[in-house]
Amino acid sequence: MTTAVKANDRLEERFRLWDHNSNGVIERSDFESEFEGILERFDVDASAPGAAALRAAYQGLFDRLAQAAGTEEMSKEDFVRAAESEIVSRGDAGFSEVLQPTIQAITTIIDTDGDGEISPVEMQRWFSAIGLTPEQSDEAFREIDTDGDGSLTVTELVAAVRDYHLGKNDIPLLGV
C-alpha cells in the first residue's frame, strides 16, 4: 500500500471517529463532542486547568478544516480534501501548525506533574483512554520516545501523529 493510499485511509478513519452523531458530515458539534469525550475519558472537569485551551484548540482545528473545505458541514470527501491540503501535503509544517495546538492542549490535560513532558504513567492514561492495552501502550511509548529519554515531548507526539497518518507507524494517538 502506498503512503498516499494509507494517508487517505487514515483520514477516512479519522472522519468516521469524528463524525460523532454518524450523520455523514463533520460539523462543529462533532468537535464539541470530541472535546467533551476527551474530558470524560480523562475524568477532567470542563472547568479544570487546560480544559478551555483544549476546547479552543478543537474549535481552531475545526475552523481551519471547515475554511479549507469551504463548508461547516464537511462530507468525508470534503474532510479528506481539507486535511490533505492543510496538513498531510504540507508535511512537518502542516502537522506542526495545524495539529500541534490540539496535541499541546491534550498534553496539558494529562501532564499531571506539570513538567511539560509526558511520562510513561501519564501516557498510559492517554493510551487507555483511546483503547490500547497496557502492553500496546508500553510498546507504543518506546516507539514514540525517539530520543530514548523516558518522557515524551509535544514535538515527539506531533511526529508520531504525522507518522501514523503517513503510514510510518500504527499508533493512533487521536483515538481508535
Side-chain angles (χ1 to χ4, degrees):
M1 180 180 301
T2 68
T3 300
V5 170
K6 189 163 254 196
N8 190 61
D9 290 347
R10 300 251 163 116
L11 290 173
E12 288 182 6
E13 178 66 9
R14 174 65 38 224
F15 176 87
R16 184 189 66 73
L17 291 170
W18 278 346
D19 181 15
H20 282 270
N21 59 8
S22 300
N23 67 349
V25 295
I26 292 178
E27 50 216 335
R28 187 171 302 279
S29 63
D30 290 312
F31 273 54
E32 187 68 23
S33 293
E34 180 71 10
F35 157 76
E36 290 168 356
I38 290 169
L39 293 182
E40 183 179 310
R41 287 190 301 273
F42 289 119
D43 195 27
V44 173
D45 187 82
S47 64
L54 183 61
R55 172 177 267 132
Y58 267 93
Q59 289 172 341
L61 177 57
F62 175 82
D63 290 343
R64 177 84 178 248
L65 294 172
Q67 181 178 11
T71 180
E72 289 205 1
E73 292 185 348
M74 292 177 273
S75 67
K76 179 169 51 175
E77 294 76 21
D78 293 332
F79 171 77
V80 169
R81 188 176 57 254
E84 173 63 34
S85 72
E86 291 297 304
I87 304 168
V88 177
S89 69
R90 295 181 55 225
D92 289 348
F95 281 90
S96 291
E97 182 182 324
V98 179
L99 292 180
Q100 186 164 332
T102 304
I103 293 169
Q104 177 67 58
I106 293 170
T107 300
T108 301
I109 297 277
I110 64 170
D111 180 16
T112 55
D113 65 9
D115 68 355
E117 296 186 344
I118 303 303
S119 71
V121 170
E122 291 166 334
M123 197 65 198
Q124 190 81 28
R125 284 184 66 211
W126 185 332
F127 286 141
S128 177
I130 63 171
L132 297 182
T133 67
E135 295 78 24
Q136 291 170 312
S137 297
D138 291 343
E139 181 180 331
F141 187 93
R142 284 190 300 276
E143 187 175 336
I144 296 169
D145 184 16
T146 56
D147 64 9
D149 70 353
S151 65
L152 302 178
T153 64
V154 171
T155 301
E156 286 173 310
L157 293 166
V158 170
V161 171
R162 178 203 61 218
D163 289 352
Y164 174 77
H165 283 283
L166 297 179
K168 296 178 181 179
N169 76 37
D170 290 320
I171 306 165
L173 288 174
L174 298 178
V176 292

